[in-house]
Amino acid sequence: MAIRRRDFLRAAGAAAVTAGLPRLARGAETASIYDLERFGNARILHITDTHAQLNPVYFREPSVNIGIGEMAGRPPHLVGRAFLDHFGIRSDSADAYAFTCFEFEKSAPRFGKLGGFAHLKTLVDRLRGDVGEKHSVLVDGGDLWQGTGLANIMQGRDMVEVANLLGIEAMTGHWEFTYGEQVLRDNLERFKGEFLAQNVFLTEEAAFNDAIAFDKATGRVFKPSMIRELGGRRVAIIGQAFPYVPIAHPKRFTPDWTFGIREEELQKHVDGLRSHDKVDAVILLSHNGMDVDLKLASRVTGIDVILGGHTHDAVPQPVAVKNASGTTLVTNAGSNGKFVAVLDLALEKGKVGDVRYHLLPVYSELLKPDPAMAELIGRVRAPHVTDWSEKIATPDRLLYRRGNFSGPVDQVICTALRTELDAEIALSPGFRWGVTALSGQPLTMEDILAETAISYPETYVQEMTGAQIKDALEDICDNLFNADPYYQQGGDMVRVGGLTYTCTPTVAVGSRISELQLDGGKALAASKRYKVAGWASINARQGAPVWDVVGKYLRSGRMPEPYHSGVTLQGVEDNPGIAGQG
């Protein structure tokens, strides 16, 4: 790829576009933030991992996001002060609040909530209007349909309506698959854009039984790519769905489909777009996760830019990765509707001449909500607002989830599981989605659903030996810290309740977890059996949905003790992916 990196990230992308914005300061400040210099002849707007958050949210970025081996100290594995220093962001700025956990509790009342689809609509329309419809396209990187009680009960239908009004022209998927094949196909019938996934194929048995596929010859289930003419040039956009859907989620949702990174098939497809379709640029719309995308970019040639998602990393500047035929830029655009990525391309015949990239925070108090989108959001929410608006509890601390090992939200869930299901130990999945609640902010059932709403929410209690618990923790830890990104299957570490342990991420698989102890300091015995509560099992369960269990616990007026993750870290003391326990 012949990209001349002459200042392709002027002003550090969007990292230095603001400096301490006052609240409710719509007007001149808005122009200075979102009025981008016109560049090139094609603009691609990218959002990802919004997790159905229709309204503006608080969302604290992680204080623990550890990179191991070659990834130590490199984006996206920088947090807090290290992130600010690396990207040249002022610590008292609005961008410090948007991009990091730094002084979050102090900054949240000052700068307010981010995102919200009515505000996104205003910003997207402005950014597209600045260059013209024939020069722009809006794409979504997946995890659009899941993450709230509304999306769960409507099985993503609300988000299809929202996506159509927003103007999304292409998307790929991850949690979308957890509604099952029929719901997915029904929703896609209503979706006005393209669903792209080059890496989803029929299983051998499904192919033999003549199951539905986009391409019978290859067994591809979905359209792999689309070509758009932008600024008089041909741009190919390839979809890359989450590669590990049948492993991370119940196989029953996608019994006829097989996933994977599919490097070989991707390379062939890129080569065909270049040689047969004569495209001038190739963009990969990916839900691999950023570490996987960085490795992929070094091995697959001919891709100009990867617009990444899944790991919720808000990275202000693309990472340039060299490969056998040139350079690929790798990006990741955050989560929860907090950001819009703006990729401006100077397209020439057969190549990208130059690039500008901005990752713009969506400051809801600086953007007037679009009336049509606000009306749609109000209409789809109306049947459920009353049922979900009951105040269940008022937390006395900041509640957040995002982080490699745990967060106060997970502590609430684990404590509720142990208390209500009478278990010694609780295990809760390391989901990245879920919003942040400020201390003193009343919690409603809608808030609880925003942390728990999935299509397999059943709780359970089972007996496990100490050895089985350690093996489970080791296995999940390897998914997080394997030196080869292709073996990192997504998510963060399973959250624990009633249990503490030491983790050494830098050592070999099977040796990372040690010093397991029950609350009170008694060592976990390898042969002893313990009563363990959990939820979101990939196996079918019959228990109450987790949101009912958490709601019952909180209605009792109880809150867990002051937060601690239960994890002691070793061997990573100077790692810039750690700003504190969490």
Side-chain angles (χ1 to χ4, degrees):
M1 178 175 97
I3 284 186
R4 300 188 302 276
R5 273 182 296 287
R6 54 180 191 224
D7 254 309
F8 71 86
L9 291 170
R10 290 179 181 170
V17 296
T18 64
L21 301 172
R23 295 197 63 177
L24 298 172
R26 295 191 183 105
E29 294 88 351
T30 310
S32 66
I33 296 166
Y34 300 122
D35 188 13
L36 304 182
E37 178 185 357
R38 180 74 180 266
F39 176 82
N41 50 0
R43 171 168 287 182
I44 300 175
L45 302 180
H46 174 224
I47 60 174
T48 190
D49 296 278
T50 59
H51 285 284
Q53 293 298 335
L54 290 174
N55 289 320
V57 299
Y58 292 112
F59 183 81
R60 178 190 182 273
E61 298 295 335
S63 54
V64 180
N65 186 5
I66 300 170
I68 297 300
E70 292 183 359
M71 292 310 301
R74 297 174 55 189
H77 300 289
L78 298 166
V79 300
R81 176 68 74 176
F83 187 104
L84 299 178
D85 291 345
H86 181 87
F87 290 108
I89 302 174
R90 276 178 40 185
S91 61
D92 63 344
S93 68
D95 283 332
Y97 165 63
F99 283 96
T100 75
C101 63
F102 188 79
E103 295 187 341
F104 180 87
E105 289 177 88
K106 177 182 176 181
S107 298
R110 180 183 180 195
F111 298 117
K113 296 182 178 182
L114 283 87
F117 272 82
H119 306 80
L120 274 171
K121 173 68 171 169
T122 297
L123 180 55
V124 165
D125 285 356
R126 173 175 179 164
L127 293 169
R128 298 195 71 174
D130 286 347
V131 298
E133 291 292 322
K134 293 184 178 180
H135 293 262
S136 65
V137 62
L138 172 63
V139 299
D140 180 274
D143 283 354
L144 175 66
W145 299 355
Q146 179 274 338
T148 65
L150 180 63
N152 200 54
I153 202 169
M154 295 189 70
Q155 297 189 296
R157 293 189 302 275
D158 57 326
M159 297 311 301
V160 174
E161 286 191 66
V162 168
N164 289 339
L165 182 57
L166 189 63
I168 294 172
E169 294 167 74
M171 66 176 291
T172 192
H174 170 198
W175 277 90
E176 286 78 7
F177 294 105
T178 64
Y179 293 119
E181 178 178 349
Q182 190 57 55
V183 170
L184 177 67
R185 292 195 182 279
D186 289 347
N187 282 344
L188 292 180
E189 283 291 320
R190 291 185 287 269
F191 178 48
K192 294 179 180 179
E194 301 273 12
F195 188 85
L196 307 176
Q198 77 83 24
N199 59 325
V200 183
F201 289 74
L202 293 175
T203 63
E204 290 186 11
E205 182 179 357
F208 180 79
N209 292 333
D210 203 33
I212 299 172
F214 168 78
D215 185 342
K216 285 292 184 183
T218 64
R220 270 200 178 97
V221 177
F222 300 101
K223 187 176 180 179
S225 64
M226 72 177 194
I227 298 173
R228 282 290 310 273
E229 185 170 306
L230 300 174
R233 298 295 179 185
R234 290 165 59 80
V235 178
I237 299 172
I238 305 172
Q240 178 84 356
F242 180 54
Y244 306 111
V245 169
I247 300 171
H249 306 285
K251 175 66 177 172
R252 64 182 181 272
F253 295 136
T254 55
D256 294 334
W257 301 340
T258 178
F259 293 70
I261 295 170
R262 304 278 188 173
E263 250 188 29
E264 183 178 348
E265 289 88 348
L266 177 59
Q267 185 67 74
K268 288 179 181 177
H269 193 65
V270 172
D271 292 346
L273 289 167
R274 291 284 188 186
S275 62
H276 180 268
D277 295 297
K278 306 297 182 183
V279 299
D280 301 298
V282 175
I283 308 297
L284 184 68
L285 179 61
S286 168
H287 203 90
N288 284 331
M290 191 161 183
D291 284 6
V292 175
D293 283 335
L294 290 167
K295 179 177 178 178
L296 185 75
S298 73
R299 295 165 61 90
V300 175
T301 62
I303 299 171
D304 294 299
V305 183
I306 298 178
L307 300 176
H310 176 58
T311 38
H312 293 198
D313 299 309
V315 180
Q317 300 177 8
V319 177
V321 179
K322 292 184 178 180
N323 52 53
S325 69
T327 300
T328 298
L329 298 181
V330 178
T331 74
N332 206 282
S335 67
N336 288 277
K338 284 181 65 177
F339 302 95
V340 173
V342 184
L343 176 67
D344 285 332
L345 303 172
L347 299 175
E348 303 172 8
K349 186 173 178 57
K351 66 180 183 179
V352 176
D354 204 354
V355 175
R356 298 287 185 274
Y357 182 84
H358 299 80
L359 187 57
L360 300 178
V362 183
Y363 299 110
S364 63
E365 296 188 9
L366 296 182
L367 292 162
K368 293 180 180 179
D370 176 79
M373 185 66 81
E375 186 279 330
L376 172 58
I377 292 170
R379 175 161 46 83
V380 296
R381 282 172 43 80
H384 309 283
V385 168
T386 300
D387 290 342
W388 292 342
S389 61
E390 169 203 0
K391 186 180 82 169
I392 293 176
T394 301
D396 59 358
R397 70 206 71 168
L398 185 72
L399 297 182
Y400 62 89
R401 166 175 282 162
R402 180 76 169 93
N404 280 165
F405 291 95
S406 192
V409 164
D410 303 294
Q411 184 184 24
V412 170
I413 293 173
C414 286
T415 304
L417 290 170
R418 292 177 62 210
T419 302
E420 300 301 326
L421 301 182
D422 189 26
E424 297 167 273
I425 296 169
L427 302 178
S428 185
F431 294 147
R432 290 192 180 93
W433 52 272
V435 297
T436 297
L438 304 184
S439 176
Q441 171 187 326
L443 291 181
T444 65
M445 179 54 71
E446 187 170 21
D447 296 321
I448 294 171
L449 288 165
E451 313 290 349
T452 58
I454 61 174
S455 55
Y456 52 110
E458 294 82 9
T459 55
Y460 62 88
V461 177
Q462 66 181 31
E463 285 195 343
M464 296 177 69
T465 65
Q468 289 173 324
I469 293 169
K470 182 183 185 298
D471 287 346
L473 294 177
E474 288 280 8
D475 183 60
I476 297 167
C477 196
D478 191 53
N479 288 341
L480 185 59
F481 296 119
N482 194 297
D484 185 344
Y486 282 9
Y487 289 93
Q488 298 172 8
Q489 297 170 2
D492 283 311
M493 191 63 185
V494 63
R495 283 57 165 121
V496 299
L499 184 69
T500 64
Y501 64 92
T502 295
C503 178
T504 311
T506 54
V507 299
V509 59
S511 303
R512 296 187 179 103
I513 306 298
S514 62
E515 300 179 36
L516 290 93
Q517 297 180 345
L518 296 173
D519 280 0
K522 188 174 183 179
L524 198 72
S527 59
K528 185 176 178 180
R529 305 184 72 83
Y530 299 92
K531 192 175 180 182
V532 179
W535 66 289
S537 172
I538 61 172
N539 301 311
R541 302 285 187 171
Q542 301 298 319
V546 65
W547 51 77
D548 284 351
V549 174
V550 175
K552 181 180 179 183
Y553 169 77
L554 289 175
R555 285 188 183 95
S556 71
R558 292 168 290 185
M559 286 291 289
E561 294 299 313
Y563 167 68
H564 186 274
S565 67
V567 182
T568 299
L569 294 174
Q570 287 186 344
V572 288
E573 289 78 6
D574 298 323
N575 193 296
I578 304 174
Q581 290 291 333

